[in-house]
Amino acid sequence: MNDDQFQIETRSIHAGQEPDEETGALMTPIFANSTYEQDAPGDHRGYEYSRTGNPTRTDLEENLASLEGADYGRCFASGMGSINTVCNLLESGDHVVTGNDVYGGTHRIFTQVYDQYEIEFTFVDMTDLEAIEAAFQDNTELLWLETPTNPLMSVVDIEGAAAIADEHDAISVIDNTFATPYLQRPLELGADVVSHSLTKYLGGHSDVVGGALLTNDPELDERFGFYQNAVGATPGPFDCFLVLRGTKTLPVRMDRHCDNARAIAEWLDGHSDVDHVYYPGLEDHPGHDIAARQMDDFGGMLSFELDGTLEQASTVVEETEVFTLAESLGGVESLIEQPAPMTHAAIPREERLEAGLTDSLIRVSVGIEHVDDLVSDLDQAIQTALE
Ligand SMILES: *Cc1c(COP(=O)(O)O)cnc(C)c1O
């Protein structure tokens, strides 16, 4: 499929997927094979062993590459598998600049796994380009950032940050999990690599765990392919099939996620029991202008501070009926969680408060249910909590 010719709504359905030549079967089959026949020793038809390559995985890799406008794509068994693969590029003595509010698992693999190999990490406020620039050292090899961030939805200027990395000959990697390629394409803004947790919006149905790395750099792609095979954190064909099924509806799902999130953010913003709403689509959000520039819409994630205690915020997340109390995000169903005792519990309270993660902060992954049901559900839960 010629990528330049078709819009993302068309590519999400067709890129990487042709009807099966032999049977005409429309959907990419689940190639449940570990090994493949060879015609003569070393003479195979593109596949020899499924850790190295699998046809279902190939179709997903091509589909995802097309969505991000990338020449190359590689899939992994989880988002952490992708992040680990990027870390595999590093050597002892290297330095990494990253955000002070990156995903908890990213923070953990940096500080508890790669730290011991004498790789140094500096965590900075990524919304401040001068702070990024100041953090660079002679041995900085990697810039890792997320935008919008979790759970305060801070927005990082991808173009500005990637340019700093470029000047210092460092690789820039953007974790694009929250925005998805439907809303934001970092490679077009100068980033070297995009990383995804497919578990979230790309899979979209809370039924699969996966990861991906997309790039236009053939050398980086070759190294990612080497680590797929050498380390082995590759996804199985059933998982690849589920993500392929998910990406077909990414554009329509994202439109509804964005519409619902915007409506809920505006409703919360006018609520007398809500202190603050964090949603880049609100004009008073500090990252609104950058988000408007680098994103096509503002996404389905938001957070808000209840005018109440940690316990009252816990009651809100327990009392919702349509929103499910759960970690994770990006599925068709609405989820609600409280970062302080849940996703961000590992951060000491003082540090957490300093980062703006208050006790009564509530994070919402807005699903694609009817928005009126979502608003009235939040309304009754907030009323019950503050009674
Ligand atoms: C979930 C998530 C990850 C990790 O992905 P898994 O698929 O859970 O391994 C990485 N980055 C972000 C932003 C995430 O939300």
Side-chain angles (χ1 to χ4, degrees):
M1 173 166 230
N2 181 349
D3 275 4
D4 300 337
Q5 196 182 338
F6 296 104
Q7 305 289 330
I8 194 166
E9 290 82 352
T10 308
R11 285 182 279 121
S12 67
I13 295 170
H14 295 289
Q17 298 172 83
E18 298 286 339
D20 182 50
E21 267 180 35
E22 207 168 307
T23 62
L26 219 58
M27 293 301 306
T28 295
I30 298 168
F31 281 91
N33 298 278
S34 58
T35 191
Y36 303 82
E37 181 191 33
Q38 306 201 1
D39 297 323
D43 180 10
H44 55 77
R45 285 158 252 172
Y47 297 95
E48 19 178 1
Y49 189 65
S50 273
R51 169 162 33 75
T52 328
N54 173 285
T56 315
R57 191 172 100 204
T58 304
D59 283 11
L60 176 60
E61 290 174 338
E62 286 179 7
N63 181 262
L64 295 171
S66 170
L67 296 185
E68 283 289 358
D71 289 339
Y72 309 99
R74 300 280 179 178
C75 288
F76 298 87
S78 67
M80 290 316 303
S82 311
I83 296 167
N84 183 58
T85 303
V86 171
C87 291
N88 285 160
L89 300 172
L90 300 166
E91 292 171 10
S92 295
D94 285 351
H95 174 248
V96 177
V97 175
T98 187
N100 57 8
D101 54 358
V102 285
Y103 175 71
T106 307
H107 187 269
R108 179 175 54 208
I109 197 171
F110 287 167
T111 56
Q112 294 184 44
V113 179
Y114 282 91
D115 214 22
Q116 62 180 325
Y117 300 114
E118 285 166 38
I119 294 163
E120 197 194 339
F121 296 87
T122 301
F123 297 89
V124 298
D125 174 3
M126 285 274 157
T127 63
D128 180 355
L129 290 181
E130 282 170 22
I132 300 179
E133 172 78 57
F136 270 76
Q137 306 174 1
D138 291 343
N139 59 342
T140 306
E141 294 293 331
L142 177 69
L143 172 72
W144 180 284
L145 67 88
E146 279 167 34
T147 179
T149 66
N150 176 26
L152 296 183
M153 310 300 140
S154 300
V155 176
V156 182
D157 177 348
I158 296 174
E159 201 167 11
I164 295 170
D166 208 38
E167 273 164 38
H168 292 266
D169 286 325
I171 298 167
S172 55
V173 185
I174 316 298
D175 184 332
N176 204 26
T177 301
F178 269 41
T180 83
Y182 183 62
L183 303 181
Q184 172 173 284
R185 288 161 305 281
L187 299 180
E188 289 173 4
L189 299 168
D192 295 314
V193 179
V194 168
S195 175
H196 273 291
S197 168
L198 304 176
T199 316
K200 317 293 170 50
Y201 288 105
L202 289 165
H205 296 76
S206 309
D207 55 5
V208 62
V209 172
L213 295 174
L214 300 311
T215 184
N216 285 322
D217 182 328
E219 279 168 38
L220 280 176
D221 176 67
E222 206 181 305
R223 292 181 73 185
F224 295 153
F226 171 79
Y227 290 119
Q228 273 185 322
N229 190 44
V231 178
T234 51
F238 289 76
D239 291 345
C240 293
F241 173 85
L242 283 173
V243 180
L244 270 175
R245 193 177 156 124
T247 57
K248 285 182 194 292
T249 55
L250 178 74
V252 287
R253 284 187 286 109
M254 291 312 294
D255 281 342
R256 178 68 77 83
H257 282 297
C258 292
D259 289 349
N260 283 359
R262 180 176 14 255
I264 291 173
E266 283 169 3
W267 175 77
L268 286 167
D269 204 32
H271 198 296
S272 55
D273 297 319
V274 172
D275 274 346
H276 196 84
V277 183
Y278 298 90
Y279 184 64
L282 295 177
E283 272 175 28
D284 64 355
H285 185 286
H288 176 74
D289 290 346
I290 298 170
R293 204 167 65 222
Q294 70 186 14
M295 299 176 76
D296 293 325
D297 205 337
F298 302 101
M301 297 298 298
L302 62 89
S303 294
F304 64 97
E305 250 165 45
L306 187 73
D307 181 10
T309 62
L310 185 139
E311 290 72 24
Q312 285 171 318
S314 296
T315 307
V316 172
V317 301
E318 286 162 21
E319 285 298 321
T320 52
E321 283 171 25
V322 184
F323 287 83
T324 304
L325 173 56
E327 296 184 2
S328 197
L329 59 113
V332 289
E333 57 286 290
S334 291
L335 303 180
I336 193 163
E337 70 112 2
Q338 190 179 6
M342 292 176 66
T343 43
H344 294 70
I347 309 174
R349 184 162 184 271
E350 284 311 308
E351 215 179 293
R352 177 165 58 68
L353 293 179
E354 216 167 286
L357 304 176
T358 57
D359 290 338
S360 68
L361 189 74
I362 293 172
R363 187 191 78 176
V364 171
S365 171
V366 181
I368 64 172
E369 300 95 337
H370 198 290
V371 68
D372 294 350
D373 293 332
L374 297 177
V375 167
S376 42
D377 192 34
L378 282 176
D379 199 24
Q380 65 79 20
I382 292 173
Q383 274 184 39
T384 307
L386 297 179
E387 252 166 22

